């Protein structure tokens, strides 16, 4: 690479064909994402915010080659992605990335033990080494006991399940960790604990973080860069403090006006009226 950009998307557009209501109706499409550019620098923490339907999750799916763009390209570490390639040809990308989904209840297989859930990416990607030892290690990393590996997901609380999901996402030592609304299904207390855990893991392991969230406070506390999306388009981006305290786009100001305060530093709150 010629710069420190780990993940780059250019001109990303995703359109979906709508079902026909009659045999002779012309094919119609709906646009979920339109001409989006994104750079995620190695070691950074980038938050993507916007209301439901703004295109956040669609963008992430394209960046991880979980879906193919109608137009545009994605590069990871300078290597062009081919989302239409056979799954095995994308193993190199899967080894570099981990993802934590929104619902810890739905994302964990109830038929598998916690140990098997966490070890799944290790054997699926052919990661060598002592897999049982690695499972024990990451359980401790996320604040759980190693002997929990023999239990099943339904035996744990929501916060513990999300810790298990994070353990699975980092078991193969990815460079990029993606969270698609990973805190929204948790209560306030547990959310704070998982937020702290993600911050600690990012610093300790040197992870690059890409976080999708509708919660501006979460992004403010965890991310140093932010992207604001509306109706499938990027409307504003930049350093988190600048975007949240001096928003340039009308839509960003609208989002900020919907929350009571922004707290850029311990012990200080900024009222809506103070925001640029």
């Amino acid at each position: 690479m010629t710069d420190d950009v780990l993940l780059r998307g250019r001109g990303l557009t995703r359109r979906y064909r709508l079902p026909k209501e009659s045999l002779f109706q012309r094919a119609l499409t709906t646009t979920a994402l339109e001409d989006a550019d994104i750079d995620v620098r190695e070691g950074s923490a980038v938050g993507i915010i916007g209301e439901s339907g703004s295109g956040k999750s669609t963008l992430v799916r394209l960046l991880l080659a979980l879906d193919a763009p109608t137009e545009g390209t994605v590069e990871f570490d300078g290597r062009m992605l081919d989302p239409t390639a056979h799954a095995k040809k994308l193993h190199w990308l899967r080894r570099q990335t981990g993802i934590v989904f929104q619902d810890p209840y739905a994302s964990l297989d109830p038929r598998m033990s916690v140990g098997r859930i966490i070890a799944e990416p290790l054997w699926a990607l052919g990661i060598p080494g002592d897999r049982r030892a690695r499972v024990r290690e990451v359980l401790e990393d996320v604040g759980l006991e190693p002997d929990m590996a023999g239990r099943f997901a339904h035996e744990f609380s929501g916060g513990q399940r999300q810790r298990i999901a994070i353990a699975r996402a980092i078991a193969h030592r990815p460079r990029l960790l993606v969270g698609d609304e990973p805190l929204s299904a948790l209560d306030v207390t547990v959310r704070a604990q998982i937020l702290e855990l993600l911050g600690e893991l990012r610093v300790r392991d040197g992870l690059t973080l890409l976080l999708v969230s509708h919660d501006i406070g979460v992004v403010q506390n965890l991310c140093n860069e932010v992207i604001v999306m509306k109706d499938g388009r990027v409307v504003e981006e930049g350093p988190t403090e600048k975007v949240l305290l001096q928003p340039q786009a009308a839509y960003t100001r609208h989002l900020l006006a919907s929350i009571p305060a922004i707290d850029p530093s311990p012990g200080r709150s900024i009222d809506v009226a103070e925001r640029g």
Side-chain angles (χ1 to χ4, degrees):
M1 293 181 64
T2 57
D3 53 32
D4 62 347
V5 175
L6 180 64
L7 183 64
R8 169 176 285 138
R10 287 293 180 269
L12 291 174
T13 297
R14 185 63 170 101
R15 300 188 183 96
Y16 296 95
R17 181 169 293 183
L18 297 173
K20 291 185 177 181
E21 296 181 0
S22 68
L23 180 63
F24 302 103
Q25 182 185 25
R26 188 181 65 178
L28 300 175
T29 61
T30 182
T31 301
L33 190 69
E34 183 74 29
D35 195 26
D37 293 342
I38 181 173
D39 287 334
V40 179
R41 295 194 304 274
E42 187 148 27
S44 66
V46 179
I48 305 176
I49 62 175
E51 296 172 317
S52 297
S54 61
K56 305 186 300 296
S57 294
T58 300
L59 175 58
V60 166
R61 288 181 60 81
L62 299 185
L63 292 173
L64 294 180
L66 297 174
D67 190 11
T70 307
E71 299 172 14
T73 60
V74 179
E75 295 179 26
F76 187 93
D77 202 15
R79 184 172 177 178
M80 193 72 69
L81 303 191
D82 179 5
T84 64
H86 189 275
K88 287 188 177 180
K89 291 188 177 181
L90 287 171
H91 273 192
W92 68 271
L93 177 67
R94 307 301 175 219
R95 285 179 178 233
Q96 301 289 330
T97 59
I99 184 166
V100 182
F101 295 100
Q102 176 178 356
D103 187 357
Y105 294 89
S107 64
L108 304 179
D109 191 333
R111 299 166 298 179
M112 296 171 62
S113 69
V114 166
R116 286 188 61 197
I117 288 172
I118 296 173
E120 185 176 19
L122 301 178
W123 60 260
L125 298 173
I127 307 294
D130 187 335
R131 292 169 185 167
R132 289 187 177 182
R134 180 58 181 158
V135 168
R136 293 193 296 270
E137 182 181 8
V138 293
L139 279 170
E140 290 185 322
D141 287 344
V142 299
L144 297 175
E145 296 297 327
D147 60 10
M148 291 179 174
R151 296 164 60 182
F152 290 83
H154 71 269
E155 301 178 55
F156 295 89
S157 67
Q160 289 174 320
R161 292 187 194 192
Q162 200 63 302
R163 290 176 186 268
I164 294 167
I166 294 170
R168 176 180 58 187
I170 65 172
H172 55 294
R173 296 184 174 89
R175 294 167 66 187
L176 173 68
L177 180 63
V178 179
D180 189 357
E181 298 279 9
L183 307 178
S184 62
L186 307 175
D187 64 42
V188 174
T189 302
V190 175
R191 187 180 306 176
Q193 295 170 353
I194 300 299
L195 182 66
E196 182 179 5
L197 171 62
L198 289 171
E200 291 173 351
L201 290 173
R202 180 197 164 214
V203 172
R204 193 202 66 186
D205 296 340
L207 288 168
T208 302
L209 183 65
L210 182 61
L211 180 69
V212 173
S213 181
H214 67 274
D215 189 329
I216 295 176
V218 167
V219 171
Q220 178 205 6
N221 279 281
L222 198 58
C223 301
N224 49 36
E225 297 179 36
V226 65
I227 294 169
V228 184
M229 297 191 66
K230 180 181 186 294
D231 296 333
R233 289 183 175 273
V234 174
V235 297
E236 188 165 2
E237 59 185 313
T240 301
E241 184 174 357
K242 181 178 179 181
V243 171
L244 297 187
L245 296 180
Q246 299 177 330
Q248 301 302 304
Y251 177 70
T252 307
R253 293 194 291 270
H254 165 74
L255 283 180
L256 294 174
S258 68
I259 58 175
I262 293 292
D263 182 7
S265 59
R268 178 172 181 254
S269 295
I270 294 182
D271 293 333
V272 174
E274 290 185 63
R275 304 181 189 123

